[in-house]
């Protein structure tokens, strides 16, 4: 909200910078002619997750997308999750400069809408969650550590509320209250203490 992008290393040709949005600020990338990445410098973890609000604004070509990367060791070696304007979420492994789709799923992507996206890489397990829902996962070997990154592929996009951590997202309890109220208890209300009257003479 008050920063200037310090702590991120951006790839050549990219156009990342902080920009106002409403009463806050976002990290915006405006170059739509190439792939662009912003790598968080202090994030070289073995187990790693990155979560952020992703807002695509404009796509430069069919197949354009925005996403997140884990275990980024350079432009030729990392994992990434990308929301494509072709209506898909892709989990990809890039090795030796060659990209391979590990898993994908149908997911409509709309410009000017924000998506809460999370990519996790723990051991050989990689998971992609969108708005708190698991979309795709895969088991794949690859780099055992690396940094977290923000990704655009020929797209103008904004990133906000970025959280990088070395842990998985785990649901401890869920209830939509459709079939039962669940194991909730209501604490008994404590009686209001009576006011003490004046002591008798």
């Amino acid at each position: 909200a008050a920063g200037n992008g310090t702590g991120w290393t951006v790839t050549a040709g990219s156009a990342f910078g902080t920009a106002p949005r409403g009463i806050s600020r976002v990290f915006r990338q405006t170059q739509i002619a190439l792939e662009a990445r912003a790598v968080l410098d202090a994030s070289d973890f073995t187990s790693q997750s990155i979560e952020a609000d992703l807002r695509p604004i404009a796509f430069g070509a069919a197949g354009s997308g925005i996403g997140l990367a884990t275990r980024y060791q350079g432009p030729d070696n990392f994992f990434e999750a990308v929301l494509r304007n072709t209506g898909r979420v892709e989990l990809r492994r890039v090795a030796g400069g060659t990209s391979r789709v590990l898993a994908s799923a149908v997911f409509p992507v709309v410009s000017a809408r924000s998506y809460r996206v999370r990519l996790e890489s723990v051991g050989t397990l990689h998971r992609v969650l969108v708005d708190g829902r698991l979309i795709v996962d895969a088991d794949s070997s690859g780099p055992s550590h690396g940094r977290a990154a923000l990704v655009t592929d020929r797209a103008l996009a904004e990133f906000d509320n970025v959280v990088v951590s070395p842990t998985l997202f785990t649901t401890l309890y869920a209830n939509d209250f459709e079939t039962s109220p669940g194991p909730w208890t209501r604490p008994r209300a404590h009686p209001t203490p009576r006011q003490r009257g004046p002591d008798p003479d």
Side-chain angles (χ1 to χ4, degrees), residues 17-189:
T18 55
R21 170 158 289 284
I23 61 173
S24 185
R25 297 178 70 82
V26 296
F27 205 28
R28 182 179 295 161
Q29 201 291 124
T30 58
Q31 172 59 265
I32 64 172
L34 46 74
E35 292 184 355
R37 301 181 189 97
V39 184
L40 182 60
D41 298 330
S43 64
D44 193 340
F45 305 145
T46 300
S47 296
Q48 185 178 80
S49 68
I50 176 170
E51 185 173 4
D53 294 328
L54 276 56
R55 184 173 182 265
I57 300 174
F59 296 106
S64 298
I66 64 171
L68 306 171
T70 54
R71 297 182 181 171
Y72 185 88
Q73 297 184 347
D76 296 336
N77 205 24
F78 57 93
F79 294 95
E80 69 177 355
V82 181
L83 308 183
R84 298 280 179 197
N85 65 351
T86 50
R88 300 195 69 80
V89 173
E90 292 181 351
L91 172 60
R92 303 198 306 165
R93 162 79 170 96
V94 178
T98 300
S99 176
R100 178 166 62 94
V101 176
L102 301 175
S104 65
V106 174
F107 188 89
V109 179
V110 180
S111 298
R113 177 190 160 182
S114 291
Y115 300 90
R116 187 67 180 172
V117 180
R118 181 181 177 92
L119 171 61
E120 301 174 343
S121 294
V122 176
T124 59
L125 175 63
H126 310 277
R127 306 196 306 176
V128 181
L129 298 93
V130 180
D131 296 333
R133 182 167 61 95
L134 179 64
I135 303 298
V136 293
D137 61 359
D139 188 86
S140 175
S141 60
S144 60
H145 70 94
R147 293 175 293 167
L150 311 174
V151 175
T152 64
D153 180 2
R154 299 161 297 165
L156 189 159
E158 296 174 346
F159 301 85
D160 201 7
N161 302 312
V162 180
V163 177
V164 177
S165 70
T167 58
L168 285 169
F169 177 84
T170 303
T171 300
L172 299 179
Y173 176 79
N175 191 337
D176 60 7
F177 299 102
E178 293 293 332
T179 57
S180 70
W184 299 91
T185 58
R186 187 168 55 187
R188 295 175 56 189

